[in-house]
Amino acid sequence: MITSDAFRGKRYVVLGLARSGMATVEALLASGADVTAWDRRPGPREALAARATIADPLEIQLAGFDGVVVSPGVPLNTHPIAERARAAGVPLIGDIELFAQARAGLPPHKVVGITGTNGKSTTTALIHHILQTAGVPTTMGGNIGLPILGQDPLPGGGVYVLELSSYQIDLTHTLDCDIAILLNITPDHLDRYENFEGYAASKARLLKMQSRDHLCIVSRDSPASFNIYQDLRDHRPRGNVLSTTQDDVADQSAWPTLKGPHNAENVAAAKAACKNLRLTDQQTERGLRSYPGLPHRMERIGEHIGVLFVNDSKATNPTATAPALAAFPRVHWIVGGLPKSDDLDECAPHFGHVVAAYTIGEAGPHFADILEPHMPVERCEMLCEATKRAIAAAKPGDTVLLSPACASFDQFRDYETRGDVFRKIVAKLTGQPAAAAELCEFSARSAA
């Protein structure tokens, strides 16, 4: 794990003891800090009872603590911990801020931070993979992979590659990335921000935390990110502000898992970062060719009687779903879940690729109303029923695509669980059709 003398003798509250919260507590304790920890679940509290103070931060005096460490999932705009911390004059921070404070004690290294609305997971994993194949010590963390404080420090010359959501950036104050990448910004998570401008400003803070001599790479492929690029260009040395666009990538034929305009944007940013990290073009190309892709992101999970099955469960908003619809000529589209928007406008240019839609979840009835003037729609509610009907209708050359354009929380714990359930349903229904009813029961239990 990553520890630091910067934490020794200090006092912290850690609210939320899931994976990153537990890693944070362990790192702070190992660094000699005094930790008060809390989770609404008794199990994690009991696991730490002998080594940390167990107390609800909403019920104790916060004055005198050096930080309140909260999970990115805690909504700062509505949760009472935010106001209590402000009133006590105690900073609200996350594990990324603790990592930033620990950097001075780590072997010489660089940090690449990636944010944006869509594509940041792929870009993070892609840069990490290219570095790995080139023999550079590297690890990835933040909003992907293992909690950063729970990982072993890299040796000298290593590169930490961090995917950073707006929630994580909101809890970070001193992370000076050697390279900061801003991809597209489109409406998302607006329940956490006053408006879209506030959401975009949260993303831009990653670049504003940088030293002037460090590099920022900004995509021109969305108006909001392009506006940020123009502002930075006016206030930073020109050589330290680069812009990229999907048009920078003309030929994707040699990269089997990086097809489509959205991946061209990701590749353009990754190539610019790797060049700055002094990798050769040959090293970068080797990584692009061998990149395996991410689970749940346009993941080809199999083919049966000429029908392709694609798990794109990570597409939790319409902007993320649009590239998947564009990528396949005849699509049986499973769509719905907990909606983040009231429309599917971003997907509309690709409705011509959809043979039929199968709506599920809370958004199902409304999405069905939107789609029925444009295509056949089957109202299914549950994922298993939608998959079963899509398989029955699909013909050789068609694609059955789970790309929900919605969050998963109405029926599943997270998008990974939703994608895993889809994978299991497809395997069962294509291998043992007689077991369809059993699988639908399994799907319903998973949704509960």
Side-chain angles (χ1 to χ4, degrees):
M1 74 178 70
I2 291 174
T3 60
S4 174
D5 286 339
F7 310 141
R8 188 172 304 280
K10 292 185 177 179
R11 300 175 64 219
Y12 296 92
V13 175
V14 179
L15 174 61
L17 300 175
R19 191 169 60 169
S20 64
M22 288 296 265
T24 297
V25 171
E26 295 293 351
L28 289 172
L29 290 173
S31 299
D34 180 85
V35 178
T36 296
W38 184 254
D39 194 286
R40 60 188 175 186
R41 298 168 299 155
R45 301 198 305 258
E46 293 166 1
L48 292 173
R51 297 181 297 132
T53 301
I54 305 301
D56 186 344
L58 297 180
E59 297 179 358
I60 63 174
Q61 187 62 247
L62 294 181
F65 281 94
D66 293 283
V68 176
V69 187
V70 300
S71 160
V74 173
L76 301 185
N77 59 332
T78 59
H79 198 286
I81 190 61
E83 181 54 39
R84 291 201 86 237
R86 277 192 291 269
V90 179
L92 276 171
I93 59 176
D95 64 333
I96 300 300
E97 173 59 24
L98 291 173
F99 168 73
Q101 296 177 18
R103 289 184 63 190
L106 297 175
H109 64 276
K110 291 191 174 183
V111 170
V112 179
I114 299 100
T115 195
T117 302
N118 296 301
K120 56 186 180 293
S121 294
T122 295
T123 305
T124 301
L126 178 58
I127 293 172
H128 175 250
H129 175 76
I130 294 170
L131 290 167
Q132 272 190 323
T133 58
V136 177
T138 182
T139 192
M140 65 179 178
N143 205 41
I144 192 173
L146 299 173
I148 192 63
L149 294 178
Q151 300 191 46
D152 291 334
L154 292 172
V159 180
Y160 296 87
V161 189
L162 305 179
E163 176 191 343
L164 299 169
S165 69
S166 58
Y167 300 167
Q168 288 168 312
I169 296 170
D170 291 341
L171 295 166
T172 305
H173 310 288
T174 64
L175 181 66
D176 183 2
C177 294
D178 298 272
I179 302 174
I181 296 174
L182 175 63
L183 301 170
N184 56 81
I185 307 178
T186 57
D188 200 7
H189 302 306
L190 297 187
D191 57 326
R192 289 278 290 262
Y193 299 94
E194 184 175 353
N195 49 37
F196 175 67
E197 289 72 23
Y199 169 65
S202 174
K203 296 288 189 184
R205 281 192 62 249
L206 178 66
L207 285 64
K208 293 183 177 180
M209 283 188 279
Q210 285 185 288
S211 301
R212 283 172 54 84
D213 59 340
H214 287 170
L215 176 69
C216 60
I217 300 168
V218 184
S219 171
R220 302 197 306 272
D221 290 320
S222 73
S225 56
F226 182 60
N227 289 339
I228 292 169
Y229 162 70
Q230 289 182 307
D231 180 64
L232 287 166
R233 190 179 56 178
D234 292 339
H235 296 91
R236 299 260 294 260
R238 288 294 178 96
N240 296 338
V241 182
L242 298 182
S243 71
T244 58
T245 172
Q246 57 190 230
D247 295 336
D248 296 340
V249 178
D251 182 6
Q252 298 166 262
S253 60
W255 315 323
T257 63
L258 292 166
K259 306 291 189 186
H262 63 299
N263 274 321
E265 179 186 1
N266 301 334
V267 168
K271 290 177 74 171
C274 290
K275 183 175 182 178
N276 183 264
L277 292 168
R278 305 199 181 285
L279 270 61
T280 66
D281 291 346
Q282 292 77 12
Q283 288 173 316
T284 299
E285 182 65 24
R286 191 181 312 126
L288 292 170
R289 288 173 180 264
S290 60
Y291 175 64
L294 282 175
H296 312 292
R297 191 65 181 106
M298 290 180 63
E299 176 190 14
R300 295 171 179 246
I301 60 174
E303 192 170 321
H304 179 70
I305 319 178
V307 176
L308 176 66
F309 294 88
V310 175
N311 168 24
D312 195 38
S313 182
K314 199 175 190 299
T316 60
N317 59 63
T319 305
T321 287
L325 294 179
F328 306 101
R330 287 181 52 86
V331 175
H332 294 262
W333 179 23
I334 301 172
V335 57
L338 186 67
K340 292 184 175 182
S341 67
D342 293 331
D343 61 64
L344 292 168
D345 292 354
E346 296 289 338
C347 300
H350 313 296
F351 282 172
H353 289 197
V354 181
V355 177
Y358 308 80
T359 58
I360 62 174
E362 183 178 312
H366 179 57
F367 281 5
D369 290 342
I370 292 173
L371 295 173
E372 280 174 340
H374 306 281
M375 64 192 68
V377 175
E378 299 203 25
R379 300 174 183 238
C380 301
E381 186 178 357
M382 303 300 292
L383 177 58
C384 180
E385 181 63 24
T387 308
K388 185 167 64 171
R389 293 194 200 180
I391 290 173
K395 299 177 181 178
D398 291 356
T399 298
V400 174
L401 170 70
L402 170 66
S403 191
C406 287
S408 60
F409 306 125
D410 59 334
Q411 294 188 351
F412 299 96
R413 183 176 68 246
D414 48 38
Y415 75 80
E416 291 100 332
T417 302
R418 178 171 61 189
D420 289 341
V421 169
F422 177 65
R423 190 184 292 114
K424 291 175 181 177
I425 290 171
V426 168
K428 198 77 171 181
L429 292 180
T430 56
Q432 301 177 42
E438 175 190 335
L439 244 295
C440 285
E441 289 179 11
F442 166 76
S443 177
R445 289 196 302 271
S446 298

